[in-house]
Amino acid sequence: MSVQTLYSDGARPVRRVVIAGGGTAGWMVAALMGKLMGKLLDIRLVESEEIGTVGVGEATIPALHTYHELLGLNEAEFMAATQATFKLGIKFEGWKAPGEDYIHSFGLTGKDHWSAGFQHFWLKGRERGLAAPYGDYCLELRAAEEQRFAHLPNNGMNYAYHLDATRYARFLRGLAEAHGVRRIEGKIAAVLREQPGEGDLTALQMEDGSRIEGDLFVDCTGFRALLLGQTLGVGYEDWSHWLPCDRAVAVQTASVREAPPYTRSIAHPFGWQWRIPLQHRVGNGLVYSSRELSDADAPDMLRRHVEGELITEPRLLRFQPGQRHEVWHRNCVAMGLASGFIEPLESTSIHLVQRAAIRLMRLFPAGGIREVDVREFNQQTTQDLQHIRDFIILHYHVTERDDSALWRHVRTMAVPETLRHRIELFRETARVFRPLDELFAENSWIQVMMGQGISPQHHHPVADLMGDAELSQFLNNIRSQVSRQLAGLPPHQAYVERLCAPY
Ligand code: FAD
């Protein structure tokens, strides 16, 4: 079959882009496309206030800076508009075992040698009684613990944000509209194809009878996946045998304490709980397995585990962890929840929307949709997702918890081969390698693997070459530098208030 017949008859030029859905995903892609290609394209976004958005998704990772730089955002304005706080990492409470905590922070720990990462020298130091806790060699981790924050020169502080998802979508909408994106309010009643049940998408049929025609459609309709899933019939790869949580219940509460610069992730027998501190409130939720906790009991369970007055009613969300077999099919690309969902344990969904939006800009089919571009887009997406999937499974699999059927299952289950290899390599040799372009770097894997309880059996022999005095000086210098930098940082809460104060 030729490229033309497979994807778009005669490789039609793409000028009219229709984005279906205005949640975080829809407005993120609309703002970026408007800013970068608004002068070349006719971009319309359809959303329905009656249907609404998921309204969660409030913790991010540092890669969001790339997206904000592309948009040319002013950070203080963005933070004031979205009531954002800074995030230096995630505190995992009870994940290794009840009562034991660790922080997965952004940034680097210690200093690497060309032949071996810092962890090898630290392991040697620990063996000889010369090393402090591993986290003492990481500025972001210490700053998170002490609840301090400041911008440092030369990207000296690696950080992300906690933000209000609804305000973020509104903020991005303002930017998108300023770049010519047109918003259409209303419900999509049907998605039309060239012939009934066949061919490319041609238009969205709205409930009021109007039609919105396009050359390229971006499916951001959330879990419904109205275009890619329901209309084009692209199937879903289910990962629930590795990630058994399939529900979430979310609620917002009033702040009762200063906002720490980290997300809290608290393990429970039925799953886990998040706490995301914003300037004006706290986002809370339980992610759970419906086999361990019933939907009827979940709201009360959540109420028991939050502090501060409830300012919304608990909201139940059902999901299936996994990904679409293809996220780009024919003239439709899915982003956000329509493309798949890995649970929010490491705040990766907004990042995946960003990656997809940037990828679409790079592979934009202005001269017509070609199979080779589609294949490239799908391959890159699958790589991203599988890497993130493995990293999330790691948190569940490497644990000492056995206080429910959920934990007993994840501890003992067979994990993807790619992950099994990484764990084995680290356990036996302390080695971690980051294949090109992977999101989570060595520091993340090491912090989580050690935090979850892996203690490597060996280290690189280069660390043995150092005598006690030299090794001790090497470790102490790094630690002292971290302590000096830490002492100069103001409290996080005060820093945010100053940055976002009206002037
Ligand atoms: P939605 O917000 O559901 O938006 C769908 C849009 O489609 C809406 O505008 C709706 O009106 C429109 N729509 C649907 N059907 C129709 C129709 N028939 N007609 C017209 N319009 C229609 N991500 C993170 O990065 N960090 C986190 O901490 C995080 N936490 C999460 C916690 C949970 C429990 C869940 C479920 C997700 C979380 N996410 C997180 C993911 C994040 O919420 C989503 O990636 C993000 O909000 C994108 O959602 P979306 O825009 O794809 O879908």
Side-chain angles (χ1 to χ4, degrees):
M1 221 183 307
S2 75
V3 165
Q4 277 81 358
T5 51
L6 236 186
Y7 286 101
S8 68
D9 293 335
R12 279 192 305 265
V14 171
R15 293 285 173 271
R16 298 167 305 168
V17 178
V18 178
I19 301 167
T24 310
W27 285 115
M28 277 183 84
V29 64
L32 190 71
M33 200 182 278
K35 164 92 184 179
L36 300 183
M37 301 188 79
K39 291 199 173 78
L40 299 174
L41 302 172
D42 168 32
I43 310 166
R44 281 167 297 167
L45 182 145
V46 182
E47 66 177 328
S48 156
E49 261 171 41
E50 196 187 318
I51 294 177
T53 64
V54 294
V56 285
E58 313 210 300
T60 65
I61 56 175
L64 193 65
H65 296 299
T66 308
Y67 175 71
H68 286 181
E69 275 163 26
L70 285 172
L71 291 181
L73 288 194
N74 172 298
E75 187 181 55
E77 263 174 40
F78 147 76
M79 290 196 62
T82 61
Q83 291 291 292
T85 59
F86 294 104
K87 172 183 169 189
L88 293 169
I90 304 175
K91 186 172 185 198
F92 287 96
E93 304 179 25
W95 277 80
K96 173 176 181 261
E100 292 194 44
D101 304 343
Y102 72 95
I103 292 181
H104 167 206
S105 72
F106 306 132
L108 293 176
T109 305
K111 267 195 203 108
D112 291 343
H113 182 263
W114 69 267
S115 60
F118 174 74
Q119 74 275 15
H120 296 275
F121 301 93
W122 179 81
L123 285 166
K124 187 78 216 169
R126 191 181 63 171
E127 189 184 292
R128 294 186 190 158
L130 303 171
Y134 190 67
D136 280 14
Y137 302 91
C138 177
L139 175 63
E140 286 81 356
L141 193 147
R142 292 287 295 117
E145 282 177 338
E146 300 270 328
Q147 304 202 16
R148 292 172 178 275
F149 182 85
H151 291 94
L152 294 180
N154 305 321
N155 298 325
M157 184 72 98
N158 242 286
Y159 66 92
Y161 310 99
H162 300 120
L163 50 82
D164 181 313
T166 309
R167 289 174 190 240
Y168 189 50
R170 208 181 301 144
F171 183 69
L172 294 175
R173 174 181 161 186
L175 293 176
E177 288 180 329
H179 289 290
V181 175
R182 287 180 291 152
R183 174 183 182 273
I184 297 161
E185 165 64 33
K187 267 201 204 167
I188 304 162
V191 183
L192 307 180
R193 301 178 69 172
E194 287 166 321
Q195 285 97 39
E198 272 181 48
D200 286 358
L201 303 182
T202 54
L204 303 182
Q205 173 77 57
M206 303 301 290
E207 259 189 9
D208 66 6
S210 61
R211 276 187 182 190
I212 301 160
E213 295 182 349
D215 305 314
L216 179 72
F217 292 80
V218 187
D219 186 351
C220 297
T221 57
F223 289 128
R224 290 177 182 79
L226 213 55
L227 282 65
L228 191 76
Q230 289 188 31
T231 307
L232 291 177
V234 173
Y236 199 80
E237 189 177 325
D238 179 8
W239 291 339
S240 53
H241 48 296
W242 290 314
L243 296 168
C245 291
D246 56 356
R247 297 283 194 278
V249 57
V251 79
Q252 298 170 6
T253 54
S255 310
V256 293
R257 61 184 70 245
E258 295 200 340
Y262 56 82
T263 307
R264 285 180 67 189
S265 167
I266 306 156
H268 290 285
F270 51 78
W272 61 279
Q273 169 187 5
W274 78 78
R275 273 199 200 164
I276 300 178
L278 305 179
Q279 289 178 39
H280 60 314
R281 62 165 173 81
V282 177
N284 308 270
L286 303 181
V287 175
Y288 60 95
S289 160
S290 53
R291 292 190 189 168
E292 299 287 339
L293 180 66
S294 74
D295 294 346
D297 290 340
D300 270 349
M301 182 66 84
L302 178 57
R303 280 191 192 92
R304 284 212 294 278
H305 286 94
V306 297
E307 47 177 23
E309 194 189 327
L310 264 56
I311 51 182
T312 56
E313 280 302 308
R315 175 155 188 213
L316 185 74
L317 298 153
R318 297 187 169 85
F319 60 85
Q320 183 183 24
Q323 63 163 355
R324 297 261 154 221
H325 293 313
E326 292 175 300
V327 288
W328 186 343
H329 183 68
R330 292 193 167 275
N331 62 340
C332 176
V333 190
M335 296 190 191
L337 300 172
S339 66
F341 183 57
I342 311 179
E343 58 171 274
L345 192 57
E346 284 282 356
S347 325
T348 42
S349 291
I350 291 174
H351 172 73
L352 285 168
V353 175
Q354 162 188 338
R355 293 275 281 191
I358 294 174
R359 185 169 292 142
L360 181 60
M361 295 298 93
R362 288 194 175 143
L363 289 166
F364 196 81
I369 297 170
R370 304 197 179 276
E371 187 190 359
V372 68
D373 282 339
V374 174
R375 201 183 321 127
E376 182 62 30
F377 190 98
N378 285 328
Q379 273 171 5
Q380 289 187 15
T381 306
T382 300
Q383 266 169 21
D384 274 359
L385 284 169
Q386 289 184 353
H387 162 67
I388 292 172
R389 176 202 68 191
D390 281 5
F391 191 56
I392 305 296
I393 296 173
L394 168 73
H395 298 64
Y396 281 100
H397 182 58
V398 180
T399 181
E400 290 162 19
R401 285 194 84 110
D402 68 351
D403 50 345
S404 69
L406 169 79
W407 292 102
R408 284 189 288 276
H409 165 68
V410 290
R411 274 180 72 165
T412 51
M413 68 185 172
V415 296
E417 179 53 29
T418 39
L419 175 60
R420 197 193 60 74
H421 169 73
R422 273 192 207 248
I423 293 173
E424 199 178 306
L425 185 68
F426 186 69
R427 185 171 274 137
E428 289 183 20
T429 70
R431 293 188 176 114
V432 180
F433 294 99
R434 178 194 198 180
L436 203 66
D437 227 24
E438 272 192 359
L439 175 60
F440 291 104
E442 291 86 343
N443 189 59
S444 294
W445 283 89
I446 295 166
Q447 283 186 348
V448 174
M449 286 198 276
M450 295 214 291
Q452 294 283 145
I454 299 181
S455 187
Q457 291 154 5
H458 303 284
H459 53 260
H460 196 287
V462 74
D464 296 330
L465 299 176
M466 279 192 180
D468 278 6
E470 191 188 0
L471 184 57
S472 178
Q473 193 187 19
F474 171 69
L475 293 171
N476 286 341
N477 282 348
I478 298 170
R479 191 163 170 241
S480 310
Q481 193 188 348
V482 167
S483 301
R484 271 197 307 278
Q485 283 184 298
L486 185 67
L489 298 177
H492 169 249
Q493 176 84 24
Y495 192 81
V496 173
E497 281 169 11
R498 208 164 49 241
L499 189 76
C500 296
Y503 43 85

